[in-house]
Amino acid sequence: MPKRVLIANRGEIARRIARTCRRLGVDHVAVHSDADAGAAHLDGAFETVHIGPSAARESYLDIDAVVGAALRTDCDAVHPGYGFLSENPEFAARVTEAGLVYIGPDAATIAAMGDKARARELMAAAGVPVLPGSEHATESAAQLRADAARIGYPVILKPVAGGGGKGMRVVHGEAELPDAVAEAVRLGRAGFGDGRLLAERYVAAPRHIEVQVFGDRHGNVVHLLERECSLQRRHQKIVEEAPAPHLPPVTRKALLDAAVRGATALGYVGAGTFEFILDGDGRFFFLEVNTRLQVEHPVTEEITGLDLVEWQLRVADGEPLPLPQHRIRATGHAIECRVYAEDPAHGFRPAPGRAEVVEWPPEVRVEAAFDGPGAVPGFYDPMVAKLVAAGPDRETALARLRTAIGETTLVGLTTNLGFLGELLAEPRVLDGRVDTHLVDAFTARSAPPDRAGRALACAAAMAVPDRTAGASPWSGTVGAFDRAALDPDAPLGRIGLRHEGRDHEARLLSRDRAGLRVDTDGGRFTVLAEPASGGLVRGTVGTTQWTGLATAAGYEIVIGGHRVALGRRSFDEGGGDTSDGAVRTPMPGVVVGVACAPGARVEAGELLVVVEAMKMENRIVAPFAGTIERLSCAQNETVTADQVLVTLTPEGDTHA
């Protein structure tokens, strides 16, 4: 067993690895960037090391800084976690060359599996089914056209060095191919430093099934069963479970055997995941190997009762696998969801920020970046936590997860919690009949309701008690009244609020034991509100639960897991939009594309700037037709949330 491990990561996975280290009596060293100087993953570490500025490429992706930190703190091993350097063969080699133990497979295996063309070749030789596809990776559109003609349309183009779905393009016919190749090559070069592509047969509505494998240095290889990972958006998983539902026993056995056969052929050491797609006819095909611990490993731990991080530490230290295949058993069912700092109401754009109040549900396993107030920087992946529910069967586990989502409180941070709750109530999800396109189809047909009106009503309910403290934001009377003497539609008071640049008004119509009846420009609502701990107010608006927090800026309202932030407004401020021609970035990030220039005329919706935040490219477009008056950003510039990028003069406006 290693004596001291440097955890080359951050957030929830760093905390997860540290937990096992503490249980086993292994010292751990934590690293951090400027952005993570006060992060929760540093708590309890034997030593903490600052490794660079906030940008990942200057800190968590800096091999010299990470290896140097391990050497300076007398570590004898390095755990890469997932993401960042976890599948970088150069990093694995440098750790080993420094005389340290790399907790994962060797650099040669990582390199071979990181090259999709090489991985296909090795798996085919091992008898693992692969999709019909290119024999060699290339940037040549002519060669890819020939490959596609041989394979048959539709095909999917994959960057050979890619991961996470980035740069993949589906091509339905030859006419689409040139533009798709050009775009995929560009994204491959920009994202991975390698523009070569593979063409493979595209399976229209597959399931995504993966198998957890483990190997040791003594030639032993086992599987720890499979996971269902079909619920994903933009090729990123958001809900995973084990075992996979509705998987025929014959297919399950063939999948597990294929994964073990592939891992054995590689001489695989450590934790790895073999990913497959399963078509509508029950045939499965190799997709890729992830040469690290997976984000979704907790569902495997929940059904097997095993600690996969402990297995990693023991295998890396040269021990044989803790259990042979025949002693690995699964009991019950487990399902997890990923909680992201993102805004479902605006295309799931990243939403970095700070959670002022955090209350995780008590009855499920929670893997979180923080347990109290904490920040989600805009420099890294937006995942905040994973909620993991287990039970004797799928129905019980799923019900517990849905309850846990409803019991989670994150105030001040925009997340996908509400979306997750709605997704897990979808009939096909409840039945376990899922595929990789279900989430996109669900999103497309589930237009988000306008929650602003309900949030205004909730904020109004919170504001009423302020009058007793002599600081009421209300105009009019909100105290005791003779109900019979009043026009039921005459407001007793009104409050001004601001939401997303627009001014709104909420009007109190009545207040009694049944609650407050509030009229807003979004409708009329009955609101119940009760004070709770930590300055929170909880209640219902209609039949929906809500939580609120009054802040210096206004009100933070969470309705059914969806956040609405409202600012205070005085009535003498005037109304209307705050449109001043300033086009701002809604999130911090790095400018990776500038598509406009001063003096140029643009149409409404035309691309102006591309900001990369939390590993996603976000398109900033013109809100109306006009002329670029001023460009206030540059390529590769780091920008903050709400920073003005472009100033636009509306069409027909002669003032400049």
Side-chain angles (χ1 to χ4, degrees):
M1 185 71 66
K3 292 183 173 56
R4 186 171 300 161
V5 174
L6 181 128
I7 302 172
N9 220 295
R10 63 177 300 279
E12 58 89 20
I13 183 55
R15 299 184 76 202
R16 161 71 190 92
I17 297 165
R19 189 169 68 245
T20 292
C21 287
R22 284 193 294 271
R23 182 174 65 80
L24 297 175
V26 176
D27 291 339
H28 74 277
V29 172
V31 296
H32 68 91
S33 66
D34 287 347
D36 282 336
H41 76 267
L42 306 180
D43 296 344
F46 175 82
E47 193 168 344
T48 64
V49 182
H50 174 252
I51 54 171
S54 298
R57 64 181 177 274
E58 300 176 52
S59 51
Y60 296 106
L61 292 174
D62 186 333
I63 294 176
D64 289 336
V66 174
V67 174
L71 293 173
R72 290 198 305 276
T73 54
D74 295 324
C75 290
D76 52 357
V78 174
H79 197 306
Y82 43 69
F84 294 130
L85 295 169
S86 64
E87 293 181 283
N88 185 312
E90 181 186 351
F91 178 58
R94 289 281 299 279
V95 169
T96 304
E97 290 165 3
L100 305 171
V101 173
Y102 180 77
I103 301 175
D106 60 31
T109 300
I110 297 173
M113 294 300 99
D115 184 316
K116 286 184 170 60
R118 179 65 176 149
R120 276 177 53 88
E121 180 183 337
L122 290 170
M123 290 303 101
V128 178
V130 298
L131 282 165
S134 302
E135 294 182 2
H136 304 286
T138 180
E139 292 188 8
S140 167
Q143 180 59 55
L144 290 165
R145 184 182 299 111
D147 290 344
R150 173 176 53 82
I151 297 164
Y153 290 96
V155 299
I156 185 167
L157 302 177
K158 297 181 177 181
V160 70
K166 191 169 185 179
M168 290 185 183
R169 292 293 178 270
V170 177
V171 182
H172 295 278
E174 186 173 340
E176 302 174 18
L177 193 71
D179 288 345
V181 170
E183 184 177 21
V185 167
R186 178 181 66 80
L187 290 172
R189 288 175 178 172
F192 314 111
D194 188 340
R196 293 177 301 145
L197 307 175
L198 289 171
E200 285 184 347
R201 177 184 294 165
Y202 177 64
V203 179
R207 292 174 66 180
H208 186 138
I209 310 289
E210 63 185 29
V211 178
Q212 177 72 61
V213 300
F214 248 97
D216 62 24
R217 302 187 189 282
H218 306 277
N220 302 306
V221 175
V222 298
H223 68 75
L224 284 79
L225 305 158
E226 86 286 348
R227 298 184 284 254
E228 173 78 64
C229 302
S230 296
L231 290 176
Q232 48 189 259
R233 187 180 56 76
R234 297 175 183 164
H235 303 287
Q236 290 288 339
K237 305 162 190 171
I238 54 176
V239 177
E240 303 99 347
E241 60 185 299
H246 306 299
L247 190 64
V250 172
T251 305
R252 174 175 284 114
K253 184 178 187 309
L255 272 166
L256 300 176
D257 289 348
V260 171
R261 191 162 59 248
T264 301
L266 293 173
Y268 199 89
V269 175
T273 300
F274 277 67
E275 303 201 351
F276 299 91
I277 57 172
L278 185 69
D279 69 14
D281 296 324
R283 297 174 299 180
F284 64 88
F285 303 94
F286 171 78
L287 193 62
E288 64 181 353
V289 177
N290 293 129
T291 53
R292 53 169 169 79
L293 196 66
Q294 291 281 84
V295 175
E296 56 272 22
H297 77 274
V299 295
T300 295
E301 293 184 327
E302 289 298 308
I303 65 169
T304 62
L306 303 173
D307 183 334
L308 301 195
V309 174
E310 178 180 350
W311 277 44
Q312 285 186 296
L313 295 175
R314 293 190 181 282
V315 166
D317 201 42
E319 295 183 29
L321 292 174
L323 292 175
Q325 188 69 71
H326 71 275
R327 291 184 57 196
I328 298 171
R329 294 284 186 266
T331 303
H333 200 95
I335 182 167
E336 77 170 29
C337 63
R338 304 186 189 190
V339 181
Y340 284 107
E342 62 183 12
D343 189 353
H346 294 87
F348 295 90
R349 71 188 182 196
R354 179 176 175 81
E356 299 297 341
V357 179
V358 177
E359 295 177 2
W360 298 116
E363 301 301 324
V364 299
R365 173 174 171 176
V366 179
E367 301 286 353
F370 41 73
D371 297 325
V376 180
F379 301 96
Y380 317 118
D381 186 276
M383 189 168 68
V384 180
K386 299 174 298 196
L387 307 182
V388 191
D393 51 49
R394 185 177 189 272
E395 183 180 12
T396 303
L398 184 55
R400 287 174 178 169
L401 183 59
R402 292 177 61 194
T403 298
I405 290 171
E407 292 177 345
T408 299
T409 300
L410 288 172
V411 179
L413 186 68
T414 301
T415 73
N416 65 336
L417 275 167
F419 173 78
L420 288 169
E422 293 157 9
L423 175 64
L424 293 180
E426 159 72 17
R428 286 182 59 193
V429 175
L430 291 173
D431 190 41
R433 307 280 181 183
V434 298
D435 61 53
T436 58
H437 297 296
L438 187 152
V439 174
D440 290 337
F442 173 79
T443 303
R445 70 173 182 268
S446 303
D450 180 12
R451 297 181 181 86
R454 288 188 293 167
L456 290 165
C458 296
M462 293 178 65
V464 168
D466 287 352
R467 184 172 179 82
T468 61
S472 175
W474 287 79
S475 172
T477 301
V478 296
F481 57 89
D482 180 356
R483 186 72 185 83
L486 292 172
D487 176 351
D489 291 327
L492 305 178
R494 59 196 182 110
I495 182 174
L497 296 163
R498 181 165 290 156
H499 176 245
E500 294 188 340
R502 291 179 178 271
D503 292 337
H504 300 269
E505 181 178 299
R507 295 166 292 280
L508 179 65
L509 301 180
S510 68
R511 180 187 185 189
D512 55 32
R513 292 181 179 178
L516 284 80
R517 193 159 64 99
V518 181
D519 179 73
T520 75
D521 48 14
R524 289 186 176 181
F525 306 92
T526 299
V527 186
L528 291 174
E530 293 289 341
S533 61
L536 294 178
V537 176
R538 299 186 190 275
T540 58
V541 52
T543 60
T544 306
Q545 292 184 334
W546 67 276
T547 302
L549 179 70
T551 68
Y555 299 92
E556 286 282 344
I557 308 295
V558 181
I559 301 176
H562 298 272
R563 176 196 181 211
V564 182
L566 300 169
R568 291 187 174 91
R569 175 179 73 85
S570 300
F571 284 100
D572 57 6
E573 290 184 55
D577 292 1
T578 58
S579 301
D580 56 1
V583 181
R584 305 169 186 269
T585 173
M587 76 290 290
V590 178
V591 175
V592 296
V594 176
C596 62
R601 184 188 175 283
V602 295
E603 298 288 348
E606 186 171 334
L607 179 66
L608 301 178
V609 179
V610 179
V611 175
E612 185 178 86
M614 293 175 154
K615 297 170 39 176
M616 287 179 58
E617 291 187 353
N618 302 275
R619 296 164 57 88
I620 311 298
V621 301
F624 47 76
T627 302
I628 305 297
E629 178 184 335
R630 185 180 304 109
L631 179 62
S632 304
C633 63
Q635 186 83 13
N636 298 323
E637 179 183 347
T638 298
V639 293
T640 59
D642 209 37
Q643 180 173 327
V644 176
L645 305 179
V646 175
T647 303
L648 188 62
T649 301
E651 201 164 65
D653 189 343
T654 58
H655 176 73

